[in-house]
Amino acid sequence: MIWNSHHSGIKGGAGQYFTPRPLITGIVDAIAPEPRATICDPACGTGGFLLAAHDYIAKHNALDREQKKRLKSGTLFGVELVDGVARLCCMNLLLHGIASEDADEIPVQVRDALAGKHGEYEMVLTNPPFGKKSSVTIVNEAGEEDRQSLVVHRDDFWASTSNKQLNFLQHVFTILKQHGRAAIVVPDNVLFEGGAGETVRRELLKQADVHTLLRLPTGIFYAQGVKANVLFFDRKPAAEKAWTTKLWIYDLRTNKHFTLKENTLKRTDLDDFVACYNPKNRHERTPTWSDQNPQGRWRVYDYDDLLKRDKLNLDIFWLKDESLEDSANLPDPDIIAQEIVEDLQAALSQFAEVASDLKR
């Protein structure tokens, strides 16, 4: 039996949700993990990314006995906040022969990953929980409840903020070894938010080579109204000059209409992105967008051009939305209705956060 959820457990408040299997596989195929690399998911859920990385390494390499042993124990590491979900992850790994009974230690820690570093790794693959800011409910002497945002203060972070996604992005950077590689799913606000968001983007582009951004379609997550992306970057040693020189962006969102039931995301929907990413040598890439082909989904931006953008906003689009251009190209009414519902739910949850912050 294979547990197919990445983040199962309690739906809703804790922000857990599922990462579609085709997306996990597409990300792993692009980043192409190698044998002997240490791989961590600091929000591992039931182990979707860890299992996909294991399968990729086993399938794409002729492993010797020592490498096979290392893949089963000493390659994959997970951190999970919810105890019950962590147990499912351990069971999932055991079912795949990872961390068998005679292994030195179970590779899943139950803890709050954001509380501090829990090691350094050559690769981090993760889809941190979306949703609420980190918060704690405090009951005062009069018995009144007050929800207070938890601002994470860490000496190794660039900015102190209660935005959980910005904190996870900073955390992923801190647990990467020099030249370590990461792929992290982030919501749109990480790309455009000012204040701490701008600080984090500025420092990340300086101290890492932020080379690829995959803009994900809507309608692929159980959490309604989620607009997300995958950010790929490599950690680099300290230097005066920024490490990011070019950001390649693949737009899988504009004019794409997926739903959880009728029109689900398939691995083949990511074939073009993985080919464009060029896993064999990501330094040799060819854009599909040009003045002659304005509908190309794969486009490159120079670091200097990114710097000129207000607040270093990376929320970048260039394709024409066909549904705005031509009523004949409109998707089915039920898909339009679903997209409207998702947009409204996303707006409502964001406004609810603002309203709860104002109450304090």
Side-chain angles (χ1 to χ4, degrees):
M1 182 177 184
I2 297 173
W3 292 88
N4 236 358
S5 67
H6 168 54
H7 240 104
S8 89
I10 315 102
K11 264 212 222 168
Q16 284 103 329
Y17 60 102
F18 299 82
T19 311
R21 181 73 31 182
L23 176 59
I24 290 177
T25 314
I27 291 170
V28 170
D29 287 347
I31 209 164
E34 294 130 355
R36 302 195 72 80
T38 49
I39 301 167
C40 177
D41 182 347
C44 67
T46 54
F49 271 114
L50 299 177
L51 289 171
H54 168 275
D55 292 350
Y56 182 93
I57 293 169
K59 183 179 167 188
H60 288 83
N61 300 276
L63 302 177
D64 60 33
R65 196 171 164 189
E66 175 56 36
Q67 286 174 321
K68 282 179 184 169
K69 191 177 169 190
R70 174 74 187 265
L71 180 57
K72 300 296 181 197
S73 178
T75 291
L76 306 169
F77 301 89
V79 178
E80 172 53 46
L81 182 63
V82 181
D83 183 54
V85 179
R87 283 186 208 175
L88 283 177
C89 183
C90 289
M91 190 167 72
N92 228 349
L93 295 175
L94 281 167
L95 287 171
H96 285 74
I98 303 161
S100 53
E101 288 80 354
D102 56 351
D104 296 334
E105 58 188 50
I106 291 172
V108 182
Q109 298 178 49
V110 181
R111 54 169 287 171
D112 181 357
L114 295 177
K117 277 178 74 167
H118 42 77
E120 287 189 351
Y121 312 91
E122 272 122 3
M123 184 172 285
V124 176
L125 304 169
T126 192
N127 181 2
F130 289 13
K132 313 274 187 302
K133 293 177 176 177
S134 302
S135 63
V136 60
T137 301
I138 293 168
V139 182
N140 66 16
E141 288 172 4
E144 295 162 333
E145 287 192 353
D146 179 25
R147 202 184 120 252
Q148 295 189 357
S149 289
L150 280 181
V151 176
V152 175
H153 297 282
R154 271 177 53 179
D155 293 341
D156 54 353
F157 276 17
W158 302 308
S160 296
T161 173
S162 62
N163 181 315
K164 204 184 258 184
Q165 282 78 42
L166 286 174
N167 285 330
F168 257 106
L169 182 55
Q170 295 182 89
H171 177 66
V172 166
F173 179 86
T174 67
I175 61 172
L176 276 176
K177 289 184 176 177
Q178 296 290 7
H179 305 289
R181 302 187 292 143
I184 175 173
V185 179
V186 294
D188 280 8
N189 68 54
V190 166
L191 304 182
F192 64 72
E193 208 168 85
E198 182 182 354
T199 302
V200 169
R201 287 191 297 278
R202 229 167 254 292
E203 290 301 325
L204 188 67
L205 265 68
K206 260 190 218 160
Q207 299 186 39
D209 181 1
V210 185
H211 54 83
T212 310
L213 174 65
L214 168 62
R215 313 236 44 190
L216 294 174
T218 56
I220 64 169
F221 294 110
Y222 280 88
Q224 296 293 312
V226 167
K227 290 190 171 172
N229 315 267
V230 188
L231 206 50
F232 295 82
F233 64 89
D234 301 352
R235 180 170 179 164
K236 296 294 183 181
E240 281 184 34
K241 200 164 160 267
W243 279 101
T244 301
T245 56
K246 291 179 186 311
L247 174 64
W248 290 79
I249 304 178
Y250 191 97
D251 181 354
L252 190 63
R253 188 181 302 175
T254 309
N255 303 320
K256 294 283 184 181
H257 303 280
F258 292 100
T259 57
L260 287 173
K261 290 183 182 148
E262 289 79 27
N263 186 28
T264 55
L265 182 77
K266 297 174 194 65
R267 173 59 187 82
T268 50
D269 294 313
L270 290 152
D271 281 355
D272 187 51
F273 163 69
V274 174
C276 287
Y277 186 102
N278 195 13
K280 284 195 166 56
N281 184 0
R282 70 165 183 81
H283 299 286
E284 288 182 10
R285 291 172 166 178
T286 309
T288 59
W289 176 91
S290 66
D291 290 337
Q292 290 73 41
N293 183 30
Q295 287 304 96
R297 293 187 177 274
W298 182 233
R299 186 171 179 178
V300 62
Y301 288 84
D302 287 328
Y303 176 70
D304 291 339
D305 292 330
L306 299 176
L307 279 186
K308 291 174 193 157
R309 294 176 61 82
D310 184 42
K311 297 192 178 85
L312 204 71
N313 183 333
L314 301 180
D315 189 28
I316 300 170
F317 287 103
W318 61 91
L319 296 179
K320 280 184 177 173
D321 189 331
E322 288 169 4
S323 62
L324 299 176
E325 298 289 313
D326 180 4
S327 58
N329 282 327
L330 284 175
D332 291 339
D334 59 329
I335 292 178
I336 296 174
Q338 183 61 32
E339 287 179 353
I340 291 169
V341 167
E342 289 189 0
D343 282 344
L344 287 173
Q345 281 170 326
L348 189 60
S349 66
Q350 285 168 11
F351 188 74
E353 253 180 46
V354 172
S356 66
D357 284 350
L358 291 173
K359 273 184 197 165
R360 292 205 308 278

